[in-house]
PDB file of all heavy atoms in Angstrom:
ATOM      1  N   SER N  86      56.920 -62.836   1.670  1.00 98.00           N
ATOM      2  CA  SER N  86      56.238 -63.969   2.285  1.00 98.00           C
ATOM      3  C   SER N  86      56.800 -65.299   1.768  1.00 98.00           C
ATOM      4  O   SER N  86      57.005 -66.243   2.534  1.00 98.00           O
ATOM      5  CB  SER N  86      54.746 -63.870   1.985  1.00 98.00           C
ATOM      6  OG  SER N  86      54.001 -64.315   3.082  1.00 98.00           O
ATOM      7  N   HIS N  87      57.050 -65.349   0.465  1.00 98.00           N
ATOM      8  CA  HIS N  87      57.652 -66.545  -0.120  1.00 98.00           C
ATOM      9  C   HIS N  87      59.033 -66.807   0.471  1.00 98.00           C
ATOM     10  O   HIS N  87      59.386 -67.941   0.783  1.00 98.00           O
ATOM     11  CB  HIS N  87      57.757 -66.401  -1.639  1.00 98.00           C
ATOM     12  CG  HIS N  87      56.487 -66.716  -2.362  1.00 98.00           C
ATOM     13  ND1 HIS N  87      55.962 -67.978  -2.411  1.00 98.00           N
ATOM     14  CD2 HIS N  87      55.631 -65.936  -3.057  1.00 98.00           C
ATOM     15  CE1 HIS N  87      54.834 -67.967  -3.114  1.00 98.00           C
ATOM     16  NE2 HIS N  87      54.609 -66.735  -3.529  1.00 98.00           N
ATOM     17  N   GLN N  88      59.813 -65.758   0.599  1.00 98.00           N
ATOM     18  CA  GLN N  88      61.157 -65.905   1.155  1.00 98.00           C
ATOM     19  C   GLN N  88      61.106 -66.327   2.616  1.00 98.00           C
ATOM     20  O   GLN N  88      61.879 -67.199   3.053  1.00 98.00           O
ATOM     21  CB  GLN N  88      61.955 -64.601   1.018  1.00 98.00           C
ATOM     22  CG  GLN N  88      62.156 -64.126  -0.413  1.00 98.00           C
ATOM     23  CD  GLN N  88      63.070 -65.030  -1.210  1.00 98.00           C
ATOM     24  OE1 GLN N  88      63.317 -66.168  -0.840  1.00 98.00           O
ATOM     25  NE2 GLN N  88      63.552 -64.540  -2.327  1.00 98.00           N
ATOM     26  N   LEU N  89      60.196 -65.714   3.369  1.00 98.00           N
ATOM     27  CA  LEU N  89      60.075 -66.065   4.788  1.00 98.00           C
ATOM     28  C   LEU N  89      59.674 -67.527   4.950  1.00 98.00           C
ATOM     29  O   LEU N  89      60.065 -68.191   5.912  1.00 98.00           O
ATOM     30  CB  LEU N  89      59.055 -65.154   5.474  1.00 98.00           C
ATOM     31  CG  LEU N  89      59.525 -63.718   5.717  1.00 98.00           C
ATOM     32  CD1 LEU N  89      58.368 -62.848   6.203  1.00 98.00           C
ATOM     33  CD2 LEU N  89      60.666 -63.682   6.734  1.00 98.00           C
ATOM     34  N   ARG N  90      58.896 -68.004   3.994  1.00 98.00           N
ATOM     35  CA  ARG N  90      58.488 -69.397   4.029  1.00 98.00           C
ATOM     36  C   ARG N  90      59.687 -70.336   3.994  1.00 98.00           C
ATOM     37  O   ARG N  90      59.791 -71.281   4.798  1.00 98.00           O
ATOM     38  CB  ARG N  90      57.559 -69.678   2.844  1.00 98.00           C
ATOM     39  CG  ARG N  90      56.949 -71.047   2.816  1.00 98.00           C
ATOM     40  CD  ARG N  90      56.085 -71.175   1.580  1.00 98.00           C
ATOM     41  NE  ARG N  90      56.080 -72.512   1.068  1.00 98.00           N
ATOM     42  CZ  ARG N  90      55.000 -73.302   1.063  1.00 98.00           C
ATOM     43  NH1 ARG N  90      53.868 -72.857   1.565  1.00 98.00           N
ATOM     44  NH2 ARG N  90      55.042 -74.497   0.569  1.00 98.00           N
ATOM     45  N   THR N  91      60.610 -70.071   3.071  1.00 97.00           N
ATOM     46  CA  THR N  91      61.799 -70.923   3.006  1.00 97.00           C
ATOM     47  C   THR N  91      62.656 -70.766   4.262  1.00 97.00           C
ATOM     48  O   THR N  91      63.135 -71.756   4.812  1.00 97.00           O
ATOM     49  CB  THR N  91      62.662 -70.626   1.756  1.00 97.00           C
ATOM     50  OG1 THR N  91      62.821 -69.229   1.609  1.00 97.00           O
ATOM     51  CG2 THR N  91      62.019 -71.172   0.502  1.00 97.00           C
ATOM     52  N   LEU N  92      62.790 -69.552   4.742  1.00 98.00           N
ATOM     53  CA  LEU N  92      63.567 -69.341   5.964  1.00 98.00           C
ATOM     54  C   LEU N  92      62.918 -70.037   7.162  1.00 98.00           C
ATOM     55  O   LEU N  92      63.599 -70.560   8.046  1.00 98.00           O
ATOM     56  CB  LEU N  92      63.725 -67.837   6.245  1.00 98.00           C
ATOM     57  CG  LEU N  92      64.570 -67.053   5.233  1.00 98.00           C
ATOM     58  CD1 LEU N  92      64.551 -65.565   5.552  1.00 98.00           C
ATOM     59  CD2 LEU N  92      66.006 -67.571   5.223  1.00 98.00           C
ATOM     60  N   ARG N  93      61.585 -70.049   7.156  1.00 97.00           N
ATOM     61  CA  ARG N  93      60.823 -70.708   8.225  1.00 97.00           C
ATOM     62  C   ARG N  93      61.043 -72.218   8.154  1.00 97.00           C
ATOM     63  O   ARG N  93      61.278 -72.875   9.181  1.00 97.00           O
ATOM     64  CB  ARG N  93      59.340 -70.409   8.014  1.00 97.00           C
ATOM     65  CG  ARG N  93      58.634 -69.861   9.228  1.00 97.00           C
ATOM     66  CD  ARG N  93      57.292 -69.247   8.836  1.00 97.00           C
ATOM     67  NE  ARG N  93      56.529 -70.060   7.924  1.00 97.00           N
ATOM     68  CZ  ARG N  93      55.810 -69.568   6.897  1.00 97.00           C
ATOM     69  NH1 ARG N  93      55.756 -68.274   6.682  1.00 97.00           N
ATOM     70  NH2 ARG N  93      55.128 -70.366   6.114  1.00 97.00           N
ATOM     71  N   GLN N  94      60.938 -72.757   6.936  1.00 96.00           N
ATOM     72  CA  GLN N  94      61.102 -74.203   6.752  1.00 96.00           C
ATOM     73  C   GLN N  94      62.485 -74.668   7.185  1.00 96.00           C
ATOM     74  O   GLN N  94      62.648 -75.801   7.644  1.00 96.00           O
ATOM     75  CB  GLN N  94      60.851 -74.574   5.282  1.00 96.00           C
ATOM     76  CG  GLN N  94      59.372 -74.540   4.921  1.00 96.00           C
ATOM     77  CD  GLN N  94      59.123 -74.653   3.427  1.00 96.00           C
ATOM     78  OE1 GLN N  94      60.012 -74.396   2.626  1.00 96.00           O
ATOM     79  NE2 GLN N  94      57.912 -75.017   3.041  1.00 96.00           N
ATOM     80  N   MET N  95      63.459 -73.773   7.056  1.00 96.00           N
ATOM     81  CA  MET N  95      64.815 -74.116   7.486  1.00 96.00           C
ATOM     82  C   MET N  95      65.037 -73.789   8.957  1.00 96.00           C
ATOM     83  O   MET N  95      66.152 -73.930   9.469  1.00 96.00           O
ATOM     84  CB  MET N  95      65.835 -73.367   6.640  1.00 96.00           C
ATOM     85  CG  MET N  95      65.827 -73.820   5.204  1.00 96.00           C
ATOM     86  SD  MET N  95      67.453 -73.540   4.492  1.00 96.00           S
ATOM     87  CE  MET N  95      68.490 -74.473   5.623  1.00 96.00           C
ATOM     88  N   ARG N  96      63.966 -73.307   9.611  1.00 97.00           N
ATOM     89  CA  ARG N  96      64.028 -72.955  11.027  1.00 97.00           C
ATOM     90  C   ARG N  96      65.063 -71.865  11.327  1.00 97.00           C
ATOM     91  O   ARG N  96      65.673 -71.866  12.396  1.00 97.00           O
ATOM     92  CB  ARG N  96      64.302 -74.195  11.896  1.00 97.00           C
ATOM     93  CG  ARG N  96      63.271 -75.313  11.684  1.00 97.00           C
ATOM     94  CD  ARG N  96      63.283 -76.334  12.787  1.00 97.00           C
ATOM     95  NE  ARG N  96      62.212 -77.326  12.607  1.00 97.00           N
ATOM     96  CZ  ARG N  96      60.923 -77.097  12.868  1.00 97.00           C
ATOM     97  NH1 ARG N  96      60.529 -75.934  13.335  1.00 97.00           N
ATOM     98  NH2 ARG N  96      60.016 -78.051  12.666  1.00 97.00           N
ATOM     99  N   LEU N  97      65.253 -70.980  10.375  1.00 98.00           N
ATOM    100  CA  LEU N  97      66.159 -69.860  10.610  1.00 98.00           C
ATOM    101  C   LEU N  97      65.387 -68.684  11.195  1.00 98.00           C
ATOM    102  O   LEU N  97      65.950 -67.833  11.868  1.00 98.00           O
ATOM    103  CB  LEU N  97      66.853 -69.427   9.314  1.00 98.00           C
ATOM    104  CG  LEU N  97      67.739 -70.480   8.656  1.00 98.00           C
ATOM    105  CD1 LEU N  97      68.502 -69.880   7.487  1.00 98.00           C
ATOM    106  CD2 LEU N  97      68.729 -71.050   9.664  1.00 98.00           C
ATOM    107  N   VAL N  98      64.074 -68.642  10.922  1.00 98.00           N
ATOM    108  CA  VAL N  98      63.220 -67.614  11.507  1.00 98.00           C
ATOM    109  C   VAL N  98      61.977 -68.261  12.115  1.00 98.00           C
ATOM    110  O   VAL N  98      61.641 -69.401  11.798  1.00 98.00           O
ATOM    111  CB  VAL N  98      62.776 -66.556  10.468  1.00 98.00           C
ATOM    112  CG1 VAL N  98      63.978 -65.896   9.809  1.00 98.00           C
ATOM    113  CG2 VAL N  98      61.848 -67.172   9.434  1.00 98.00           C
ATOM    114  N   ARG N  99      61.309 -67.490  12.974  1.00 98.00           N
ATOM    115  CA  ARG N  99      60.123 -67.971  13.661  1.00 98.00           C
ATOM    116  C   ARG N  99      59.084 -66.847  13.590  1.00 98.00           C
ATOM    117  O   ARG N  99      59.425 -65.669  13.654  1.00 98.00           O
ATOM    118  CB  ARG N  99      60.497 -68.276  15.108  1.00 98.00           C
ATOM    119  CG  ARG N  99      59.408 -68.758  15.994  1.00 98.00           C
ATOM    120  CD  ARG N  99      60.002 -69.367  17.288  1.00 98.00           C
ATOM    121  NE  ARG N  99      61.259 -68.727  17.702  1.00 98.00           N
ATOM    122  CZ  ARG N  99      61.343 -67.713  18.567  1.00 98.00           C
ATOM    123  NH1 ARG N  99      60.260 -67.200  19.115  1.00 98.00           N
ATOM    124  NH2 ARG N  99      62.526 -67.219  18.897  1.00 98.00           N
ATOM    125  N   ALA N 100      57.809 -67.242  13.439  1.00 98.00           N
ATOM    126  CA  ALA N 100      56.745 -66.247  13.274  1.00 98.00           C
ATOM    127  C   ALA N 100      55.870 -66.166  14.518  1.00 98.00           C
ATOM    128  O   ALA N 100      55.683 -67.149  15.223  1.00 98.00           O
ATOM    129  CB  ALA N 100      55.891 -66.612  12.075  1.00 98.00           C
ATOM    130  N   ARG N 101      55.351 -64.967  14.761  1.00 97.00           N
ATOM    131  CA  ARG N 101      54.459 -64.737  15.891  1.00 97.00           C
ATOM    132  C   ARG N 101      53.358 -63.798  15.415  1.00 97.00           C
ATOM    133  O   ARG N 101      53.630 -62.704  14.936  1.00 97.00           O
ATOM    134  CB  ARG N 101      55.242 -64.084  17.032  1.00 97.00           C
ATOM    135  CG  ARG N 101      54.410 -63.644  18.221  1.00 97.00           C
ATOM    136  CD  ARG N 101      55.262 -63.034  19.301  1.00 97.00           C
ATOM    137  NE  ARG N 101      55.769 -61.702  18.913  1.00 97.00           N
ATOM    138  CZ  ARG N 101      55.078 -60.568  19.046  1.00 97.00           C
ATOM    139  NH1 ARG N 101      53.855 -60.572  19.555  1.00 97.00           N
ATOM    140  NH2 ARG N 101      55.615 -59.414  18.685  1.00 97.00           N
ATOM    141  N   ARG N 102      52.133 -64.243  15.484  1.00 98.00           N
ATOM    142  CA  ARG N 102      51.039 -63.377  15.029  1.00 98.00           C
ATOM    143  C   ARG N 102      50.582 -62.465  16.157  1.00 98.00           C
ATOM    144  O   ARG N 102      50.403 -62.906  17.299  1.00 98.00           O
ATOM    145  CB  ARG N 102      49.858 -64.216  14.537  1.00 98.00           C
ATOM    146  CG  ARG N 102      48.656 -63.385  14.122  1.00 98.00           C
ATOM    147  CD  ARG N 102      47.538 -64.235  13.556  1.00 98.00           C
ATOM    148  NE  ARG N 102      47.736 -64.531  12.136  1.00 98.00           N
ATOM    149  CZ  ARG N 102      47.365 -63.732  11.151  1.00 98.00           C
ATOM    150  NH1 ARG N 102      46.813 -62.565  11.408  1.00 98.00           N
ATOM    151  NH2 ARG N 102      47.543 -64.093   9.894  1.00 98.00           N
TER     152      ARG N 102
END
Side-chain angles (χ1 to χ4, degrees):
Chain N
S86 216
H87 278 292
Q88 300 292 17
L89 287 171
R90 185 181 147 113
T91 46
L92 294 175
R93 232 165 45 219
Q94 285 169 340
M95 293 207 57
R96 304 197 175 284
L97 298 187
V98 303
R99 179 165 32 93
R101 173 179 72 84
R102 177 176 276 275

